[in-house]
């Protein structure tokens, strides 16, 4: 029963799109930034789904859409089978108890005029937890993330970057959510502190049965944290692969390039570095066919004409690439 439940989709994203209208340049010229362009994904109970890609590819926008901080242009998001786009009022507030976020910048995401204890306790007060219960819960949450009771009276400027991020994690944990969107949660921290925070997130996941949507541009970090990895390029998912399959299965050329930049832990094992030419194309005017083909070292003539579907292919997992033939299977798994 528990194994079956663990495979259930907590979040089911279907053909999600988000566009932002832009105007500028010559009079009358305008367009739409395709930040998220037809994304379908599932996040299972208790798993970490990593979302990795270059800056500006739409990762954070996808996270905000799942949190209902932004409304999609098209597509649907289901949480435990319920379409969250239809939620409002008390139903939306109840949903937001179950999904929380850890922000990238551990300083600017904290109110400098509030103590650490007030910051951690704010979600409890907003969601109607009795005032008499909040101090004890704040103390428990602080200890859970590695802070002392005495530290809850201090203000953000009195903490280090890692300690501030622990405050943000405690705040996200306060309402006992099912899903946490971790948006580049360690990118602003020193490497040694990154390891501490990542290990804390793993411990909390095991303790509380959390699911994570873990957003980052760092393939080494996402590989350490994730059960499955969704690789995003210019608003689209180009590959969805299990962590254990990264070294044993043929990969999308973009995934290969990202993976080649991760230092190998074994000095005797040499990895060929794949350097991509140029910058990602404009999301206002993406190239025809495969959006990656202008930078792809293995592009073929068909790549500039036909958009490759994200489908289970003969490399064994969902990939959007003409290099691989299509096989049977559910591309969202």
């Amino acid at each position: 029963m528990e194994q079956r439940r663990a495979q259930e989709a907590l979040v089911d994203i279907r053909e999600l799109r988000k566009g932002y209208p832009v105007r500028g340049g010559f009079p009358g010229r305008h367009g739409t930034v395709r930040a998220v362009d037809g994304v379908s994904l599932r996040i299972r109970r208790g798993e970490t789904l990593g979302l990795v890609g270059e800056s500006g590819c739409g990762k954070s926008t996808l996270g905000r859409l799942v949190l209902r901080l932004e409304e999609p242009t098209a597509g649907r998001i289901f949480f435990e089978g319920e379409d969250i786009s239809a939620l409002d009022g008390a139903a939306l507030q109840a949903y937001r108890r179950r999904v929380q976020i850890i922000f990238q910048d551990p300083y600017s995401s904290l109110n400098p005029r509030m103590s650490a204890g007030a910051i951690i306790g704010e979600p409890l007060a907003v969601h109607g937890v009795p005032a008499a219960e909040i101090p004890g819960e704040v103390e428990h949450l602080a200890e859970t993330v590695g802070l002392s009771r005495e530290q809850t009276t201090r203000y953000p400027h009195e903490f280090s970057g890692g300690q501030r991020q622990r405050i943000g994690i405690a705040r996200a944990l306060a309402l006992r959510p099912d899903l946490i969107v971790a948006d580049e949660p360690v990118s602003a921290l020193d490497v040694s502190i990154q390891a501490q925070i990542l290990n804390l997130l793993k411990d909390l996941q095991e303790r509380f049965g959390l699911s994570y949507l873990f957003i980052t541009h760092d393939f080494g970090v996402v590989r350490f944290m994730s059960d499955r990895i969704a690789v995003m390029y210019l608003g689209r998912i180009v590959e969805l692969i299990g962590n254990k399959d990264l070294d044993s299965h043929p990969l999308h050329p973009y995934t290969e390039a990202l993976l080649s930049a991760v230092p190998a832990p074994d000095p005797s094992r040499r990895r060929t570095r794949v350097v991509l030419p140029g910058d990602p194309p404009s999301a206002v005017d993406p190239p025809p066919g495969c959006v990656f083909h202008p930078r792809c070292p293995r592009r073929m003539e068909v790549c500039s004409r036909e958009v490759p579907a994200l489908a289970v292919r003969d490399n064994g997992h969902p990939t959007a690439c003409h290099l691989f033939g299509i096989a049977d299977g559910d591309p969202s798994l």
Side-chain angles (χ1 to χ4, degrees), residues 250-317:
L251 302 171
H252 189 285
Y254 181 57
T255 309
E256 283 187 323
L258 295 178
L259 191 58
S260 75
V262 180
D266 183 357
S268 64
R269 180 183 172 188
R270 295 188 176 183
R271 181 177 289 153
T272 302
R273 180 69 190 274
V274 179
V275 179
L276 300 177
D279 297 316
S282 169
V284 178
D285 186 24
C290 174
V291 291
F292 182 62
H293 87 264
R295 305 174 73 196
C296 181
R298 300 168 65 186
R299 61 182 176 269
M300 304 176 292
E301 193 275 334
V302 67
C303 300
S304 62
R305 294 187 287 104
E306 298 181 14
V307 177
L310 180 67
V312 176
R313 295 180 179 262
D314 54 22
N315 64 351
H317 57 269

Side-chain angles (χ1 to χ4, degrees), residues 190-208:
D190 293 338
V191 174
S192 60
I193 305 302
Q194 285 185 13
Q196 295 176 21
I197 297 300
L198 294 176
N199 284 321
L200 173 63
L201 291 173
K202 282 198 164 189
D203 291 343
L204 293 174
Q205 181 175 43
E206 183 174 350
R207 180 173 175 180
F208 296 104

